[in-house]
Amino acid sequence: MEQRRCYWCSDGPLSLLETHNLPFAIALMLLAIIAIAQVVGVADMFDGTDVDVDLDLDVDVDADGIEAITSGGFMDGLLSLLGFGRVPFLIWLAGLLLVFASIGVIGQSVIAGLLGAPLPAWLAAPLAGLAAVPTNAAFVRPVGALLPKDETSAVGLSSLIRRDAIIQTGTARAGSPARAKVLDRFKQPHFVMVEPHDPSAELREGETVLLVRREEGTFFAIRYENRLLELN
């Protein structure tokens, strides 16, 4: 009697390191890298002030772009269906990698048992990807419901425009910014560098000003002529 081949064995045709399983092995390697980075705290390297400015800028631009695209409702529903916004992106990506690899390896085993051989990687990978995206979306919904809601308090720097700021140190002049404190919509303080919108004006320490625009890391502000107009 012919002995059936074990497709789960390490020396069988469905070994994780075989060519037809290579996309799924790579996905698991990326998942392991993400996990190790979180354990050893590599992500904490990005907690510095300068890097935060760049990250805030990118996130703000992306969020504004998505909001503009999704105003019609179609993209809003599509992104929600994919699970975007329900959990932090890193959790969403880790879940997608895990689901993709699991579906791929299990699917190859089933196909090999039915057809006698697994699918080639160029065909198995997109099929597993098509199945992984909605599966991962269904997975992140309950996960997102369990996460603390204060994750949403992060804001982009551009959202600080049209908010009041108090000059903290020095006098702001054209080409010579001063440090100012501004509260976001969650009442969290941010310390930014401010120059006067009018190049001939000066914004003195202790004054409350209105942020009207931003260029890279510098905000430009105007002085209130009437203190009754101050927002904060």
Side-chain angles (χ1 to χ4, degrees), residues 56-96:
D56 282 340
L57 173 61
D58 294 339
V59 171
D60 187 72
V61 171
D62 293 342
D64 291 344
I66 291 176
E67 183 178 357
I69 294 173
T70 60
S71 59
F74 171 76
M75 286 300 296
D76 189 21
L78 179 60
L79 292 174
S80 178
L81 181 65
L82 296 179
F84 281 106
R86 296 181 180 272
V87 295
F89 175 74
L90 201 59
I91 294 179
W92 182 90
L93 178 61
L96 181 63

Side-chain angles (χ1 to χ4, degrees), residues 161 163 165-181 191-204 207-224:
I161 295 176
R163 302 195 69 86
I166 300 176
I167 305 298
Q168 296 282 299
T169 306
T171 299
R173 301 182 180 88
S176 180
R179 188 169 182 263
K181 176 182 177 182
F191 295 92
V192 298
M193 302 306 293
V194 174
E195 291 185 28
H197 178 68
D198 181 357
S200 62
E202 292 184 351
L203 306 176
R204 297 181 176 84
E207 283 190 304
T208 298
V209 297
L210 177 66
L211 304 179
V212 294
R213 63 186 177 94
R214 178 169 72 97
E215 293 182 5
E216 297 182 351
T218 302
F219 285 84
F220 293 82
I222 59 175
R223 179 191 297 111
Y224 283 104

Side-chain angles (χ1 to χ4, degrees), residues 3 19 29 52 88 112 120 148 163 191:
Q3 184 177 3
T19 304
M29 290 175 60
D52 280 343
R163 302 195 69 86
F191 295 92

Side-chain angles (χ1 to χ4, degrees), residues 16 23-31 82 90-108 124-141 143:
L16 194 58
F24 314 121
I26 293 175
L28 290 176
M29 290 175 60
L30 293 176
L31 180 60
L82 296 179
L90 201 59
I91 294 179
W92 182 90
L93 178 61
L96 181 63
L97 291 173
L98 178 60
V99 172
F100 171 73
S102 301
I103 290 177
V105 173
I106 295 174
Q108 287 285 59
L127 290 177
L130 288 175
V133 171
T135 303
N136 184 57
F139 167 75
V140 300
R141 287 192 182 96
V143 173

